[in-house]
Amino acid sequence: MNKENVLLQANHIKKYFQGRGKNVVKAVDDVSLTLHRGETLGLVGESGCGKSTLGRALLRLIEPTQGEILYNGQDLRKLPEREMRLMRQHMQMVFQNPYSSLNPRMTVLESVRAPLDIFKIGTPEERFEKCREIMKYVGFEEYQIYRYPHEFSGGQRQRVVIARALISDPDFIVCGEPVSALDVSVRAQVLNLMRDINEKRGLAYLFISHDLSVVKHVSDRIAVMYLGNLVELAECEELYRNPKHPYTKALLSSIPIPDPDVMVERIPLEGDLPSPMNPPGGCRFHTRCPYAKERCRTERPRFQYDQKGHGAACHMCE
Ligand code: SF4
């Protein structure tokens, strides 16, 4: 993809939180990535690896400690709060839990219309018409828009949340584990809807999930995070066919295959994720990596791309 197609460029993003005493939690530690227009970039890793923090930091829902976020070439971190708020109509977020992301005292019409009210977009009649249209687009009948969230199932509520994210015609949506709170039976419906929206409206997603099989279903490229660092990034097919980083290999080998005749070599991921308060030196993965050498304990590997745009941070790939 060429440079004109770049929608968002994040450079050296860090997000540190103050822990107890002098401890600092390095939730995101020097992550750089690019998102293209209309692209779905999957972001995976174990819980606690910093992927949700990164998603929020990119929208400045939490302020990054350091780094640059260029959105359509404009540095978001230099925007005053008022301009940043206006910018948010182009950048939305769909959270994991549709139960808590909707106000139980508002009808779904009021919830979906809220961004238009906040940004004062259109007349009251135009706002109503737009809500009706977008609710129809995500699969609701007109009579349902006057109902309250408790009258809907989990999958329907997540579709309401998606409608609310779409109402201000964004270019970019951060999807934070959007289907993990849903029953398996409705996940596919919501994922198909999201893919359809991406294809028809050409908007870009950062799709955060711990579930590699879900991410594979929707992503053009996939980024893998481990303990606050980006460890691998590649086109979806390339990553599944030719993973480079031992952590990605271990994650991929743990995906269940529903065919008893297919044998997959499992790469065990031993031990827990170390604390981001005191991450291991050198390569952060060395405490769990079956290929770790002496150099891995002391020297942090650089993130390097090959000619195909497949990047990884591992001494074995240098
Ligand atoms: Fe494993 Fe060393 Fe590569 Fe880190 S740099 S993933 S420890 S081989």
Side-chain angles (χ1 to χ4, degrees):
M1 296 210 191
N2 58 32
K3 278 192 180 160
E4 289 88 73
N5 232 352
V6 171
L7 178 68
L8 182 138
Q9 169 89 48
N11 296 322
H12 306 292
I13 300 298
K14 294 185 181 180
K15 179 62 194 175
Y16 294 173
F17 296 99
Q18 190 59 48
R20 243 183 273 149
K22 287 189 177 163
N23 290 326
V24 173
V25 179
K26 296 178 176 175
V28 176
D29 201 8
D30 201 0
V31 170
S32 299
L33 50 81
T34 303
L35 189 75
H36 302 96
R37 284 173 221 290
E39 177 187 39
T40 299
L41 178 65
L43 184 60
V44 295
E46 288 164 283
S47 268
C49 70
K51 53 193 189 307
S52 300
T53 305
L54 176 63
R56 286 165 193 260
L58 293 180
L59 299 182
R60 279 190 63 201
L61 294 175
I62 51 173
E63 197 58 50
T65 309
Q66 207 176 301
E68 182 185 55
I69 307 164
L70 301 175
Y71 187 78
N72 278 322
Q74 194 168 16
D75 190 344
L76 294 186
R77 294 201 62 213
K78 291 196 177 141
L79 288 183
E81 188 47 43
R82 203 179 64 84
E83 282 179 45
M84 188 61 222
R85 245 187 289 137
L86 289 175
M87 185 60 96
R88 287 218 177 85
Q89 60 184 290
H90 306 294
M91 314 164 75
Q92 295 286 328
M93 181 147 190
V94 171
F95 293 96
Q96 174 176 2
N97 192 344
Y99 299 88
S100 55
S101 13
L102 291 170
N103 185 334
R105 284 190 284 272
M106 286 164 86
T107 64
V108 296
L109 170 66
E110 288 165 330
S111 285
V112 171
R113 198 184 55 204
L116 300 183
D117 295 338
I118 292 167
F119 297 119
K120 300 191 172 44
I121 299 171
T123 62
E125 293 74 28
E126 284 165 346
R127 289 177 203 171
F128 173 76
E129 195 45 47
K130 186 142 197 199
C131 288
R132 221 168 54 93
E133 214 177 89
I134 209 93
M135 288 295 280
K136 190 170 170 207
Y137 182 72
V138 300
F140 290 99
E141 301 290 339
E142 186 166 345
Y143 71 90
Q144 292 176 296
I145 67 179
Y146 301 102
R147 292 187 172 172
Y148 288 86
H150 72 268
E151 297 175 74
F152 292 100
S153 68
Q156 287 174 317
R157 277 183 240 199
Q158 195 59 307
R159 283 195 276 133
V160 173
V161 173
I162 292 168
R164 185 179 58 188
L166 288 177
I167 197 85
S168 57
D169 291 325
D171 306 311
F172 173 43
I173 299 184
V174 174
C175 310
E177 306 266 9
V179 294
S180 61
L182 303 180
D183 287 345
V184 175
S185 55
V186 293
R187 275 185 194 183
Q189 288 171 18
V190 173
L191 286 174
N192 288 340
L193 170 68
M194 295 185 79
R195 211 164 55 171
D196 189 62
I197 292 166
N198 164 257
E199 279 164 15
K200 293 206 175 121
R201 297 185 166 235
L203 54 78
Y205 292 134
L206 180 70
F207 194 99
I208 299 167
S209 178
H210 64 277
D211 186 336
L212 272 139
S213 42
V214 166
V215 166
K216 185 181 185 184
H217 190 69
V218 293
S219 304
D220 298 303
R221 289 187 305 150
I222 296 181
V224 184
M225 274 186 83
Y226 183 79
L227 207 57
N229 290 161
L230 196 64
V231 296
E232 187 155 4
L233 198 160
E235 298 275 338
C236 182
E237 263 193 60
E238 162 71 9
L239 187 103
Y240 280 80
R241 208 179 37 233
N242 179 29
K244 289 183 173 183
H245 197 282
Y247 178 59
T248 312
K249 289 181 187 172
L251 287 182
L252 290 177
S253 78
S254 67
I255 300 175
I257 295 176
D259 182 346
D261 295 330
V262 176
M263 300 297 286
V264 174
E265 188 204 344
R266 301 259 177 239
I267 302 172
L269 253 186
E270 279 165 12
D272 293 330
L273 195 68
S275 165
M277 212 131 57
N278 189 17
C283 171
R284 289 193 175 171
F285 187 54
H286 83 253
T287 54
R288 302 168 81 193
C289 179
Y291 312 104
K293 302 268 184 308
E294 195 45 45
R295 180 185 178 198
C296 305
R297 291 174 228 287
T298 53
E299 198 184 319
R300 185 172 171 176
R302 280 195 309 128
F303 195 93
Q304 288 175 307
Y305 286 96
D306 67 13
Q307 285 172 338
K308 285 191 278 183
H310 185 161
C314 171
H315 293 310
M316 288 202 308
C317 310
E318 287 169 5

